[in-house]
Amino acid sequence: MTVDDFYSHLKTRNIPPLLCVYGEETFLVRKAVAELRQVVFPAGQDDFNDSLFQGKELRAEQVIDTAQTLPMFADKRLVTIRDAHQIPTAEQEKLLSYVDDPAPETCLLLVANKIDSRRKFFQKFKKQGEFVEFKPLAERELPGYLKRLLYDKDIEISDDALSLFCAMVSVGLNEVHSELDKLLTFIGDKTLIDVKDVKDVVSRGRAENIFELGNAVGRGDVGKALSLVSRLSASGEASLKILSLLTRHFRQLWKVREMSAQRMSSRDIAAQVRIPFFVVDGLIRQAGQFSRENFMSAHRMFLETDLAMKSSGANADALLEQLIHKLIGLKNKKGA
C-alpha cells in the first residue's frame, strides 16, 4: 500500500485488520498513526477499545486475547504494537496464528522504524495485511514540501528565504516542522516570509559550523576541524547526523565546483544548487580548494564511514575523527 493509498483508505474509513506503518521518517510515521487513531476514535480517547503494547516486552497471548475481544460501544478496536521490529522471535511465532485469521473488528497496528522482511512473521503479515513505508524526504523535495505546507496556511515565502531555510535545516521533518513553527509564530499576521525572518529565527549555529568545518578541511587545519566537530557534538548533534550534514555540504560543494568550472554565474549556481545567493561566492571559494578527484574520494569516504557507523559497532566519534583526518589528507593529493 502506498502512502496515498493509506490516506485514501482513511478518508473512506476502510481500516484493514492488519496494518504496519514504518520508516526512517519518524515524523510522518507518527502523523500517520495520529490520523489513523482519529478515524478509529472520532470522539477522542477510548479507554475500552484502545490497547498499546511495546514490541520488546510483548507477550503474544495478551495481544491475541485483546485483539479477539469484540469492541465495546464502538465499531472498531485498535491494538497497537510500538517498536514492532523488537518483538522477540518466539513471540513472533506465537502471533502467526492470529495473522492467519485476524478479527475483522480489530485493527492490529504495527509501528516500527524498520522491518526485517526476511522474518517469517513480517512476510506473513505483509501477505495477509498492508504495509506502508514512510521514507525520508530527499533534499530536492524539501522546497516543494515547505511551499505546500505554507500554501495551505495562505503564506508565501521568497525564493531566497526558502533557499536559506533549506540550507539551515536538515531534511528530517521533526526539525523542519520545529523550525517552521517558530518561524510562523515569529511572523505573526504577516503573509510573506523573507530572508530577514529566517535569519532572525532559524538557528544558524549548525549551518555556520558545518560551513566553517568545510573551510577548515579545505585549509588542512586539523585542529580547527576537530574543534568544530566537538562544538557540533556538544550542541547535541549525534555523530551520524554530523556525518550526514558534512556529506550534504560536500555534495553541494561538488555541484558548485562543476558549475563554476562551466563559468556559470553566481545567480545561476544558486538557483541550480538551491542555496541562498549571498552564500554562493563563499562556497565557490571553498569548492575551489578541492579537485574533482578529491570529491570522488570524499564521496567514497562518506559512504564507508556511514556503513561503519551503522553496522560495525565501532565508536562513531572515533570514526568521524578518522574521516576528518582522511578528508584533510586529500589536500596533499589534489588532482585536476
Side-chain angles (χ1 to χ4, degrees):
M1 179 186 288
T2 67
V3 173
D4 288 341
D5 290 339
F6 169 75
Y7 282 108
S8 294
H9 277 63
L10 290 190
K11 287 180 181 178
T12 58
R13 299 182 59 82
N14 182 13
I15 311 299
L18 298 173
L19 176 63
C20 175
V21 296
Y22 72 104
E24 295 180 36
E25 186 45 80
T26 56
F27 179 89
L28 294 179
V29 171
R30 288 200 305 272
K31 180 174 180 288
V33 171
E35 296 200 22
L36 171 66
R37 291 176 58 80
Q38 194 169 20
V39 171
V40 177
F41 306 123
Q45 185 175 345
D46 188 328
D47 294 331
F48 295 109
N49 302 297
D50 187 10
S51 302
L52 174 65
F53 297 90
Q54 296 292 336
K56 195 172 184 178
E57 304 161 0
L58 178 143
R59 294 294 175 264
E61 294 85 354
Q62 291 180 310
V63 174
I64 293 172
D65 286 345
T66 303
Q68 289 179 336
T69 302
L70 288 172
M72 296 180 62
F73 314 114
D75 297 326
K76 207 78 172 174
R77 176 179 292 278
L78 180 63
V79 178
T80 305
I81 301 177
R82 282 185 188 159
D83 297 325
H85 54 285
Q86 294 182 352
I87 300 174
T89 302
E91 303 305 319
Q92 290 182 18
E93 291 291 327
K94 294 175 185 176
L95 284 171
L96 288 175
S97 61
Y98 180 83
V99 173
D100 279 328
D101 186 24
E105 303 85 6
T106 296
C107 174
L108 177 59
L109 173 66
L110 307 185
V111 183
N113 293 337
K114 56 187 177 181
I115 291 297
D116 187 348
S117 57
R118 298 169 298 178
R119 295 276 184 174
K120 181 180 178 181
F121 171 73
F122 292 113
Q123 290 177 351
K124 179 65 70 70
F125 198 100
K126 190 170 186 177
K127 182 178 179 181
Q128 299 290 101
E130 300 288 354
F131 271 50
V132 188
E133 182 180 7
F134 292 88
K135 299 178 181 179
L137 214 61
E139 190 174 329
R140 67 180 181 278
E141 297 173 314
L142 182 55
Y145 178 85
L146 286 165
K147 280 188 173 181
R148 288 192 297 274
L149 284 178
L150 294 170
Y151 178 82
D152 290 340
K153 300 177 184 295
D154 295 322
I155 294 174
E156 296 182 53
I157 183 169
S158 72
D159 290 342
D160 278 348
L162 179 62
S163 295
L164 180 60
F165 185 93
C166 292
M168 294 174 70
V169 300
S170 70
V171 292
L173 294 186
N174 286 316
E175 179 181 346
V176 168
H177 280 264
S178 174
E179 295 294 338
L180 187 60
D181 287 345
K182 289 192 291 185
L183 187 56
L184 293 176
T185 299
F186 176 79
I187 66 170
D189 294 332
K190 284 179 59 178
T191 58
L192 174 65
I193 298 172
D194 57 28
V195 168
K196 185 178 183 302
D197 297 323
V198 177
K199 284 183 174 180
D200 286 344
V201 176
V202 181
S203 173
R204 295 189 62 85
R206 185 177 67 186
E208 289 174 344
N209 284 335
I210 287 294
F211 183 85
E212 286 304 314
L213 179 56
N215 261 333
V217 170
R219 294 193 307 269
D221 189 340
V222 177
K224 180 66 172 179
L226 294 179
S227 173
L228 288 163
V229 168
S230 296
R231 189 182 303 172
L232 284 161
S233 181
S235 68
E237 298 290 354
S239 293
L240 192 58
K241 176 58 73 68
I242 296 172
L243 173 64
S244 173
L245 293 166
L246 192 57
T247 303
R248 176 186 180 189
H249 181 71
F250 267 75
R251 189 164 58 244
Q252 287 182 332
L253 288 180
W254 194 351
K255 291 178 183 177
V256 167
R257 183 197 184 281
E258 295 302 310
M259 293 175 186
S260 181
Q262 297 170 23
R263 301 192 180 282
M264 291 178 62
S265 69
S266 295
R267 180 64 71 180
D268 287 341
I269 291 174
Q272 289 289 327
V273 186
R274 291 177 177 162
I275 51 179
F277 172 69
F278 50 84
V279 304
V280 172
D281 289 342
L283 289 177
I284 290 174
R285 287 192 297 272
Q286 196 174 114
Q289 300 177 92
F290 300 92
S291 69
R292 182 179 293 114
E293 287 76 12
N294 289 160
F295 282 117
M296 292 173 67
S297 296
H299 180 66
R300 288 193 294 271
M301 291 175 186
F302 290 136
L303 290 176
E304 290 166 359
T305 305
D306 180 74
L307 180 62
M309 282 186 178
K310 292 177 178 176
S311 61
S312 71
N315 183 286
D317 292 338
L319 288 170
L320 190 59
E321 184 173 329
Q322 290 171 18
L323 173 65
I324 296 299
H325 282 282
K326 289 178 181 178
L327 289 172
I328 289 176
L330 290 176
K331 294 298 297 172
N332 300 321
K333 306 175 185 177
K334 187 167 180 179

